[in-house]
């Protein structure tokens, strides 16, 4: 009886532990299944594969350079040591499902800044290879998504390497980063810079050299119609006194104008923010018209083009679009004294 009681007690104890053992196996089995599905990433939008970056390497879509599978979500987070940056370079062989209405809705790869969730870019299609991307710190996240339709080839491959930041003195009129400033305050901060290089370094301290190169890289657009000041063509054939009166009376002269105010573009920042234009100025003390008061008005007006840097907020994400653009400003080529109230004639 004593031996029989011991056997019954042992059997009961083993039976009581078996459900617990099965419960521990479930999470382990699920994790193992997730990692087995794709060694080149994590097949779960809530998880990511962490890759320690100590040397050059690459990640790619499954089966690259063949067509990638459908219904796929892969996430990688590249992590390097402190005080270094990570540079991403896309392979020239790049092709995902085409966008719809210029928006990557279905199959895409995107790069994100883990520290604040800023999306540095999202790409799809096969029209152009994405440009280089540089992390703001020592981490960067990459996400690949494909839907259930129309997989393309070759997919993508991203090569990564480490960049050692150059220690330079920060040149900035503001202690706050550009993204933290309202547009009007940012406009004031931009206006304080004396060189384009210092401005781009302030706007993009982590990748200013790449941005500067991109700014001057030729594109499909037409070359700018940059304004070139014409040479003076009038022949001076009057005596000195009369010439001084003519020169300092009603004549075109240099005026500085704010581009934002001139074009009424408060949604955009221009650098330089002010330009010199020819505008009528002076007085009409020797007005030949029989009226109480004369005023100096333009009698010949032309539009001339100036090439400047244009900064526009990106839609939906933080950051600024940077491009060289032509702005057309009004120049007064000839002026005349007319009776006040008759300037429209």
């Amino acid at each position: 009886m004593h031996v029989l009681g011991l056997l019954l007690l042992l059997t009961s104890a083993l039976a009581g532990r078996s459900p617990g053992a099965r419960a521990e196996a479930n999470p382990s089995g699920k994790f193992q299944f997730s990692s087995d599905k794709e060694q080149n990433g994590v097949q779960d939008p809530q998880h990511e594969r962490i890759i320690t970056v100590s040397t050059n390497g690459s990640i790619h879509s499954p089966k690259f350079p063949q067509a990638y599978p459908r219904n796929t979500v892969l996430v990688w987070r590249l992590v390097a040591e402190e005080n270094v940056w990570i540079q991403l370079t896309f392979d020239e062989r790049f092709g995902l499902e085409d966008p719809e209405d210029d928006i990557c809705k279905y199959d895409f790869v995107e790069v994100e800044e883990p520290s604040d969730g800023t999306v540095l870019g999202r790409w799809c299609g096969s029209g152009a290879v994405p440009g280089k991307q540089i992390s703001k710190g020592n981490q960067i996240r990459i996400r690949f998504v494909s839907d259930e339709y129309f997989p393309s080839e070759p997919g993508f491959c991203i090569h990564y390497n480490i960049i050692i930041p150059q220690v330079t003195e920060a040149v900035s009129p503001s202690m706050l980063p550009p993204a933290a400033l309202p547009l009007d305050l940012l406009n004031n901060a931009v206006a304080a810079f004396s060189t384009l290089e210092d401005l781009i370094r302030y706007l993009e301290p982590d990748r200013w050299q790449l941005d500067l190169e991109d700014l001057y890289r030729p594109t499909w657009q037409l070359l700018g119609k940059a304004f070139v000041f014409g040479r003076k063509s009038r022949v001076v054939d009057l005596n000195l006194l009369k010439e001084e009166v003519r020169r300092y009376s009603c004549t075109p002269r240099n005026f500085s104008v704010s581009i934002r105010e001139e074009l009424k573009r408060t949604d955009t920042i221009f650098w330089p923010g002010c330009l010199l234009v020819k505008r009528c100025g002076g007085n009409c003390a020797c007005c030949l018209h029989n009226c109480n008061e004369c005023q100096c008005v333009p009698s010949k007006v032309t539009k001339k083009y100036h090439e400047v840097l244009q900064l526009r907020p990106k839609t939906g994400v933080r950051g600024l679009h940077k491009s060289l653009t032509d702005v057309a400003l009004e120049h007064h080529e000839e002026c005349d004294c007319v009776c006040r109230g008759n300037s429209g004639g």
Side-chain angles (χ1 to χ4, degrees):
M1 290 292 294
H2 183 68
V3 172
L4 181 60
L6 288 175
L7 289 173
L8 290 173
L9 182 62
L10 179 60
T11 302
S12 175
L14 290 173
R17 278 201 302 267
S18 59
R22 285 195 298 271
E24 290 178 5
N26 285 337
S28 175
K30 181 178 180 181
F31 177 78
Q32 187 66 35
F33 175 76
S34 174
S35 61
D36 279 348
K37 280 187 84 172
E38 178 53 60
Q39 293 296 329
N40 189 40
V42 176
Q43 182 73 23
D44 189 334
Q46 303 302 320
H47 297 82
E48 57 191 13
R49 180 187 177 191
I50 298 177
I51 300 177
T52 301
V53 178
S54 57
T55 183
N56 297 351
S58 63
I59 59 172
H60 55 80
S61 56
K63 300 182 180 180
F64 178 86
Q66 279 79 43
Y68 49 82
R70 296 176 291 178
N71 284 330
T72 302
V73 178
L74 300 176
V75 184
W76 301 266
R77 180 154 61 98
L78 309 185
V79 181
E81 62 183 13
E82 294 292 332
N83 302 319
V84 300
W85 300 330
I86 302 172
Q87 177 174 266
L88 305 181
T89 305
F90 282 79
D91 194 279
E92 293 294 327
R93 297 167 294 175
F94 180 86
L96 304 176
E97 185 178 350
D98 289 334
E100 181 178 300
D101 298 327
D102 294 326
I103 299 176
C104 297
K105 298 179 180 179
Y106 308 116
D107 299 356
F108 59 83
V109 58
E110 69 179 12
V111 176
E112 179 184 291
E113 178 61 42
S115 61
D116 57 10
T118 300
V119 176
L120 303 179
R122 174 185 285 193
W123 303 274
C124 61
S126 57
V129 178
K132 291 183 179 181
Q133 304 295 316
I134 298 179
S135 64
K136 296 181 180 178
N138 67 322
Q139 300 186 28
I140 199 165
R141 181 180 289 117
I142 303 164
R143 188 160 71 107
F144 169 61
V145 174
S146 67
D147 65 2
E148 57 184 328
Y149 303 106
F150 310 120
S152 300
E153 60 180 36
F156 72 91
C157 179
I158 300 176
H159 307 284
Y160 57 80
N161 62 283
I162 289 175
I163 293 180
I164 306 298
Q166 296 180 353
V167 180
T168 58
E169 295 184 7
V171 182
S172 169
S174 170
M175 295 303 293
L176 292 174
L181 294 175
L183 196 62
D184 286 339
L185 291 181
L186 180 59
N187 181 59
N188 295 338
V190 166
F193 288 97
S194 57
T195 68
L196 180 61
E197 181 178 309
D198 288 342
L199 170 58
I200 299 298
R201 186 179 297 179
Y202 165 65
L203 294 174
E204 299 289 348
D206 302 333
R207 48 167 294 136
W208 66 272
Q209 290 171 310
L210 289 175
D211 270 23
L212 203 59
E213 292 174 6
D214 289 342
L215 200 60
Y216 288 105
R217 183 173 288 122
T219 65
W220 58 270
Q221 295 172 326
L222 295 176
L223 294 177
K225 300 173 286 294
F227 171 72
V228 178
F229 285 99
R231 293 177 296 178
K232 186 174 180 180
S233 59
R234 289 187 178 181
V235 177
V236 179
D237 57 1
L238 303 174
N239 61 51
L240 181 59
L241 291 178
K242 193 169 182 65
E243 170 61 16
E244 288 179 346
V245 172
R246 186 185 68 81
R247 181 176 296 177
Y248 296 107
S249 293
C250 178
T251 56
R253 56 195 64 192
N254 286 337
F255 278 83
S256 61
V257 296
S258 166
I259 303 177
R260 295 183 86 203
E261 294 177 5
E262 194 79 4
L263 302 181
K264 296 180 173 57
R265 291 288 302 275
T266 56
D267 61 331
T268 305
I269 295 173
F270 299 96
W271 192 90
C274 290
L275 291 174
L276 282 181
V277 297
K278 291 291 185 181
R279 295 290 166 86
C280 290
N283 64 357
C284 295
C286 295
C287 180
L288 299 178
H289 300 289
N290 186 19
C291 54
N292 293 328
E293 186 178 1
C294 281
Q295 62 180 347
C296 182
V297 298
S299 56
K300 183 179 180 181
V301 178
T302 60
K303 292 278 188 179
K304 296 186 179 180
Y305 291 91
H306 306 252
E307 192 173 51
V308 296
L309 174 66
Q310 177 178 259
L311 306 171
R312 291 184 294 108
K314 294 181 178 178
T315 304
V317 296
R318 295 168 62 183
L320 296 169
H321 287 291
K322 293 175 283 294
S323 62
L324 294 177
T325 188
D326 290 314
V327 294
L329 297 179
E330 192 176 87
H331 285 251
H332 298 171
E333 292 193 355
E334 296 178 7
C335 306
D336 197 8
C337 289
V338 300
C339 291
R340 184 172 294 278
N342 294 338
S343 57

